[in-house]
Amino acid sequence: MNSKNLFEKVWDVHSVGELANGQTQLFIGRHLIHEVTSPQAFGMLREKSLPIRYPERTFATVDHIVPTDEASEPYSDILADAMIKELRKNCAESGVTFFDVDSGKQGIVHVVGPEQGLTQPGMTIACGDSHTSTHGAFGAIAFGVGTSQVRDLLATQTMAMSKLKVRRINVNGDLGTGIYAKDVILHIIRLLGVNGGTGFAYEYGGDVFDSFSIEERMTACNMSIEGGARVGYVNPDHKTFTYLKGRPYSPSNEEWEKQVSTWSSYSSDKGCSYDDIVTIEGSEVAPTVTWGINPGQAVAIGENIPNPDQVAQNDRAGVIEALDHMQLRAGSPIQGTKVDVAFIGSCTNGRLSDLEEVAARLPGHKVRDGLKAIVVPGSQIVSKLAMEKGLDKVFIEAGFEWRAAGCSMCLAMNPDKLVGDQLCASSSNRNFKGRQGSPTGRTMLMSPVMVAAAAVTGEVSDARTVFG
Amino acid sequence: MNLPKISQVTGRAIPVPGDDIDTDRIIPARFMKCLTFDGLGEYLFYDTRFNADGSEKLHNLNLPCFRDASIMVSGANFGCGSSREHAPQSLYRAGLRAIVAGNFAEIFFGNSTNLGMPCVSASRENLEKLSSATENDPDLRVVVDLENLQVRYGTECIPCEINPGARESLLNGTWDPLEELLTATNEIEETARSLPYA
Ligand code: SF4
């Protein structure tokens, strides 16, 4: 009777009370901050002379603006330099832990949290960044929030939220070889639409998610927001617990058994109800590539770029605008589109397993002459582990530039930018106009292995053929 | 703190047509290198308004007749993409006080409500009518009426929608929740203590 899904359980445990407008005052167990969306919030609190309520629940890192090719400060970009200094100052003054660039732990906030064991099942997590949904891979409920909410969280550790509906998305059966979590999530967004998830939390499950590693679950949860869902999560299981064991902020050995049983109790109950259920066959997912200017404008590698005359009336103007920006011809194959830049990194696909997956295929291949290819590890720890395995050498040998950790060309707030109308095969999550730093730049989203295939052939290619 | 009660927004409207207008379009990331939100209004829709050499493109935001518009009219899925509050802040600081569109991305909607900038939804057909009416007569006085859930202009009156909780908080002047959140001191403490993690 009383069965509940994970979202409802976690929501109930963290509810402080109801607000006058009917919203819930929700307690947030972990608050993650970075340099772009927090300085204004600290400023607002200073103006109101409000203290930070639970500084021990907030953790900071610097990711968006850090250059990936020069380590020394001051940064040549004075605005970027001011931002890192401001964050450093705010953290020092308020007692917030900061994984600074000299800590060996700095990196993209959504890579750092899990890596440090800060992200745990059954938690509520918030960060002034839309890809906070990533942390749902552990069975946490993680919200991307705006700066006013960062302010609210610093001041009260709570925020005003309306309860979401929950859509269960089952991906059943097996994925074909050479199909990745990135393809699965691009496929889901393509099916349900870029605003199909408005008002929903997505609970992912089924055989495919059960067999996914934690890092693969993170890739999928990461892009929930691209489907309009503010939250995406997977119920915790033994893989979640194994991943967390022994991490710096994970429970101690004495606490471990007790925590694992608490964590397990958050899983959605058998027979619980959902507001909606969608079922997808894993065998239908192909390597998927975006051709347009939103992440839902995607096709399978073997398909053609859509023709505006053959899409629904309401989509027509969007397709025409996208084709115009992307300089692509309606109806022609996506395969063979010429690529200028290849970017492997971001909070979607900048983890160790992503780099390993690509490095395993690179020997014997070279980046196409004249093509710029960069690898940006998601964190300093990812970078260190990768270098211990010699992956940096494999990438460099193949003609990639091996960079320091950060967001880099995912949104180009640092010096890594597209130039003019360059077309970039990118393992990141957004292909909006101008996203990668040039207003006329063009982005095609795909899995890291597909990015590598594009890098070595100079065009959008089927990685399964390129790497055999 | 007494916030103004927002029951309607009246003024000129500026049409910025198109679906899926994302936050990178509203404010390109390179303008987010700032420690405060002051001055963001200047960079609103920057890459859609200006060429690489700084010269102006044809865009309603560049036209003097729309300069003091306080209501923006757009298409479906407005504000999708990033959680950056820089997007609604740049709209607000450019003088906009309400957005009428097909529907809104959730985080953008929440961020805008927190600023006291209502985002109301209308049907595609009505949006097109409203857009062309303002194109034809930029001086047209448009009223976004939250009380009656209507957008009125000239002799026309179209229905609009907004999330009931957000509407409440705008009408009551509680759209910035911080004061209310701060009052629950004991309850916050209790919830924190009851959690199975520190
Ligand atoms: S990697 Fe990209 S999407 Fe992820 S946090 Fe950084 S800028 Fe945002």
Side-chain angles (χ1 to χ4, degrees), chain A residues 182-340:
Chain A
K182 181 64 157 285
D183 301 309
V184 172
I185 189 64
L186 285 171
H187 184 82
I188 290 173
I189 298 166
R190 183 184 173 195
L191 283 182
L192 303 179
V194 285
N195 53 12
T198 307
F200 282 97
Y202 280 175
E203 176 181 297
Y204 303 104
D207 310 322
V208 166
F209 277 87
D210 289 346
S211 64
F212 269 168
S213 69
I214 295 299
E215 299 205 343
E216 290 173 305
R217 292 177 191 176
M218 282 196 255
T219 298
C221 288
N222 174 273
M223 289 188 70
S224 304
I225 188 76
E226 264 64 62
R230 191 149 183 195
V231 161
Y233 67 88
V234 179
N235 283 299
D237 62 9
H238 67 281
K239 286 187 207 171
T240 321
F241 311 144
T242 310
Y243 179 100
L244 284 171
K245 184 103 200 192
R247 303 217 168 235
Y249 290 88
S250 290
S252 63
N253 283 341
E254 299 84 71
E255 291 264 299
W256 185 256
E257 291 303 326
K258 195 170 141 240
Q259 283 296 338
V260 167
S261 95
T262 311
W263 289 344
S264 309
S265 71
Y266 285 113
S267 281
S268 292
D269 295 323
K270 275 214 170 59
C272 69
S273 64
Y274 296 99
D275 300 283
D276 190 31
I277 299 179
V278 171
T279 300
I280 292 167
E281 284 309 317
S283 57
E284 285 168 11
V285 183
T288 303
V289 176
T290 63
W291 53 266
I293 52 172
N294 75 52
Q297 292 176 321
V299 287
I301 184 68
E303 287 181 272
N304 292 343
I305 295 160
N307 193 320
D309 299 338
Q310 286 156 15
V311 301
Q313 172 79 41
N314 278 351
D315 294 337
R316 195 160 300 155
V319 171
I320 293 171
E321 184 188 359
L323 293 178
D324 180 54
H325 179 82
M326 294 299 292
Q327 304 174 27
L328 293 175
R329 203 147 39 88
S332 53
I334 190 96
Q335 240 177 118
T337 307
K338 208 181 141 299
V339 167
D340 308 297

Side-chain angles (χ1 to χ4, degrees), chain A residues 177-180 353-366 391 394-395 398 400 447-450 452-453 456 463-468:
Chain A
T177 34
I179 312 294
Y180 295 95
S353 56
D354 299 309
L355 305 188
E356 284 176 323
E357 199 65 38
V358 176
R361 286 164 181 73
L362 277 182
H365 294 275
K366 283 269 184 234
L391 305 188
V394 176
F395 278 108
F400 280 84
S447 72
V449 168
M450 287 284 285
V456 303
R464 296 170 300 187
T465 328
V466 175
F467 299 119

Side-chain angles (χ1 to χ4, degrees), chain A residues 14 20 53 77 148 151 199, chain B residues 33 81 85 106 176 180 189 197:
Chain A
H14 293 82
R53 183 68 189 274
D77 178 342
S148 299
R151 174 203 65 182
Chain B
K33 282 187 249 174
E85 194 165 310
E106 228 162 279
D176 181 342
E180 200 182 348
E189 207 59 60
Y197 61 97

Side-chain angles (χ1 to χ4, degrees), chain A residues 64 108 110 129 131 346-347 407 410-411 429 435:
Chain A
H64 290 66
I108 307 171
H110 311 308
D129 193 283
H131 292 96
S346 87
C347 58
C407 295
C410 174
L411 96 165
N429 46 47
R435 172 75 179 182

Side-chain angles (χ1 to χ4, degrees), chain B residues 135-162:
Chain B
E135 287 278 5
N136 293 336
D137 177 10
D139 285 333
L140 194 66
R141 205 177 105 101
V142 178
V143 182
V144 176
D145 180 344
L146 295 177
E147 204 119 40
N148 300 304
L149 293 176
Q150 294 170 341
V151 179
R152 294 188 296 272
Y153 57 97
T155 55
E156 300 285 330
C157 172
I158 61 175
C160 68
E161 281 173 38
I162 182 169

